Amino acid sequence: MKNTFLAVMMGALLMLGFVPTGHAEVGVTDTEIHIGQWSPQTGPAAPWGAVARGTDAYFKWINANGGIHGRKLIHHYFDDAYNPAKTIAGVKQLQEQTGMFAWVSGVGTACGLAVKDYLMERGIPWVGPSAGSRHWVTPPQKHLFNVYPLYLGDAQLLTEYAVTEMDKKRIAVVYQEDDYGKQGLEGAQHVLEQHSMELAAKVPVSISDTDMRPHTMKLRQAEADAVLVFVTPGHVARLLGTGKAMNFEPQWMSTTTCGDFPLMIAITKGLYEGVITASFGMAQPTGNVGGIEHINNPNHELMAKYKTEVYDAFAADDERWGYTFTTGIGLAEPLVEAIRRAGRDLTREKLVAELEKMENFQGLMGRITYGPYDPDDPLCRIGQQEIFLQQCTADGGSKILTDWQTTEFIPMSQ
């Protein structure tokens, strides 16, 4: 009688959809883990679209090797064209109609800021935003784990190098008129103040600007001898081209976002030679910088492995191997490692707990460390703080200028 009653109840619950089917966590089934991502495949920031394609190939490689604890990573990425309104629409659609367990990467400061509160209010993990915004850690969020070094740090190291190693006297900043560009501007000003210096010029660029002549005129009139640029790769190409045409050729410097030298050499038709950028990877396991002199012929052990096993096997035929593609792998590595450590009984809270245990995690990028959630400590979610400087060579290779440098964290109040 008892068995008959239970059978009837189970049948009724199944009809109503109330019986767990192995896993109650959103985005996790017995055989799949669903991960979301956005990136610009079109529009002014399209060169950064390779980040998502790199993540996609990385997940396919993991699946081809058995997945994680018997589950495959199902990667959902969409083109937001670097438009925050499209980011919001796409994230909501995927989260509410399909159900993502977590989100990874996501290109763009403005795009990420547009969906940060939506994800955090729902307790959905987001690992490795593909932007170096201070807003990922100030204030820290329990479910948001930064990987990308902050643009503030890029600007600090570039400016310090220009002043102390290159004896530059008139440093200017060209910055995108959003959080990305403004943090670069702030980092440069912070260092110049320490040297009792002022910016020679600060020149804003709108994402829709195509004519760089007015911007270049301001730089030339300011007699800038070093210019830091925090804009898209396309704007950098136009600035260098316009500067060359106007016989204005300062020491150009840029952030990690424009550190894909083969790409930049191609889109600037060689003008990128000599440009100095910050870089967040890839280091040898010993901690020494090296092994990346030319990404097309990597001798870094992990980089070489990914080129053969991920890019050659799973990238599209027309995909270009490069730093942008590999960044999509590097930003996803901590998420994959935490899923692996969480075990078969995967939940979001277990994922967060495993991420919080990471200390000096080393993948393609620099060392990544988190800590237990503390709403008053941005460093518990900052991830990587180390970068180094490199200079582009004529063939798109890298001349390494510094060893790893730990950047200073600048609080929001400054």
Side-chain angles (χ1 to χ4, degrees):
M1 183 66 184
K2 183 177 179 181
N3 289 341
T4 302
F5 174 75
L6 286 175
V8 170
M9 287 299 296
M10 286 297 291
L13 289 170
L14 280 169
M15 289 179 66
L16 294 172
F18 289 160
V19 175
T21 56
H23 255 279
E25 192 66 277
V26 172
V28 179
T29 72
D30 284 343
T31 58
E32 298 176 342
I33 303 168
H34 293 257
I35 309 292
Q37 187 173 4
W38 65 89
S39 80
Q41 301 300 311
T42 57
W48 291 333
V51 171
R53 300 194 296 273
T55 305
D56 192 66
Y58 176 50
F59 284 2
K60 288 175 178 173
W61 172 68
I62 291 170
N63 293 340
N65 286 279
I68 303 177
H69 302 302
R71 297 190 179 99
K72 295 191 181 301
L73 300 176
I74 308 302
H75 188 215
H76 305 261
Y77 76 92
F78 65 92
D79 176 18
D80 67 351
Y82 205 54
N83 181 334
K86 292 184 177 180
T87 315
I88 294 171
V91 166
K92 286 186 175 180
Q93 181 179 8
L94 271 178
Q95 191 62 52
E96 294 171 12
Q97 296 184 12
T98 304
M100 300 295 105
F101 170 65
W103 290 77
V104 67
S105 182
V107 170
T109 299
C111 299
L113 283 172
V115 296
K116 187 186 81 168
D117 289 347
Y118 172 85
L119 295 174
M120 295 304 105
E121 288 168 2
R122 289 159 180 76
I124 302 167
W126 176 21
V127 179
S130 187
S133 173
R134 181 170 53 189
H135 292 295
W136 310 148
V137 296
T138 308
Q141 305 288 326
K142 182 176 180 181
H143 294 87
L144 203 172
F145 291 81
N146 184 60
V147 172
Y148 208 113
L150 303 188
Y151 297 134
L152 292 159
D154 286 4
Q156 288 172 42
L157 186 52
L158 289 165
T159 305
E160 186 70 25
Y161 191 85
V163 173
T164 61
E165 300 296 328
M166 305 184 77
D167 198 29
K168 298 298 184 184
K169 305 295 186 187
R170 298 191 61 74
I171 298 171
V173 176
V174 179
Y175 64 99
Q176 194 163 292
E177 283 185 303
D178 61 10
D179 211 62
Y180 158 48
K182 291 176 181 177
Q183 290 189 40
L185 174 65
E186 184 181 346
Q189 289 176 316
H190 177 77
V191 172
L192 288 177
E193 287 171 3
Q194 294 174 338
H195 289 278
S196 299
M197 296 172 65
E198 294 183 353
L199 277 173
K202 49 184 179 182
V203 182
V205 173
S206 168
I207 193 69
S208 60
D209 287 349
T210 55
D211 183 358
M212 292 292 108
R213 284 177 295 183
H215 311 76
T216 308
M217 281 297 294
K218 292 178 182 176
L219 296 170
R220 194 168 71 171
Q221 289 169 357
E223 299 180 340
D225 55 7
V227 179
L228 278 63
V229 287
F230 285 77
V231 292
T232 69
H235 286 107
V236 171
R238 294 188 187 97
L239 275 168
L240 268 61
T242 305
K244 180 75 173 178
M246 297 174 69
N247 294 317
F248 174 70
E249 299 181 72
Q251 175 60 60
W252 297 102
M253 310 177 93
S254 191
T255 78
T256 50
T257 62
C258 296
D260 192 332
F261 287 167
L263 169 68
M264 297 306 297
I265 281 287
I267 67 175
T268 63
K269 296 181 172 57
L271 294 179
Y272 215 64
E273 180 184 0
V275 175
I276 295 172
T277 74
S279 178
F280 48 55
M282 297 62 189
Q284 296 286 22
T286 59
N288 296 323
V289 176
I292 58 165
E293 280 73 11
H294 206 299
I295 194 167
N296 288 325
N297 186 26
N299 53 32
H300 182 287
E301 184 177 353
L302 187 55
M303 181 74 85
K305 177 183 177 72
Y306 284 148
K307 185 175 188 302
T308 302
E309 298 187 13
V310 176
Y311 172 77
D312 290 348
F314 296 103
D317 292 341
D318 59 350
E319 186 60 74
R320 185 186 62 84
W321 166 254
Y323 291 108
T324 312
F325 181 89
T326 56
T327 296
I329 300 174
L331 293 173
E333 286 177 320
L335 171 64
V336 169
E337 177 65 17
I339 292 174
R340 185 174 288 116
R341 292 182 187 182
R344 174 70 184 173
D345 187 19
L346 180 63
T347 65
R348 286 172 173 164
E349 290 311 300
K350 283 190 174 182
L351 178 77
V352 168
E354 292 302 329
L355 283 163
E356 290 183 337
K357 296 175 188 173
M358 282 191 178
E359 183 174 359
N360 294 326
F361 171 77
Q362 183 79 61
L364 274 183
M365 301 174 70
R367 294 179 298 175
I368 295 168
T369 297
Y370 303 114
Y373 175 62
D374 180 347
D376 298 320
D377 181 14
L379 301 186
C380 72
R381 291 294 185 271
I382 201 166
Q384 182 177 346
Q385 290 181 272
E386 297 174 314
I387 53 176
F388 59 89
L389 296 187
Q390 58 181 349
Q391 187 168 31
C392 184
T393 61
D395 64 348
S398 300
K399 177 183 177 183
I400 307 301
L401 300 180
T402 73
D403 206 334
W404 288 108
Q405 307 281 319
T406 300
T407 58
E408 174 190 358
F409 177 72
I410 305 174
M412 287 280 283
S413 58
Q414 291 191 11

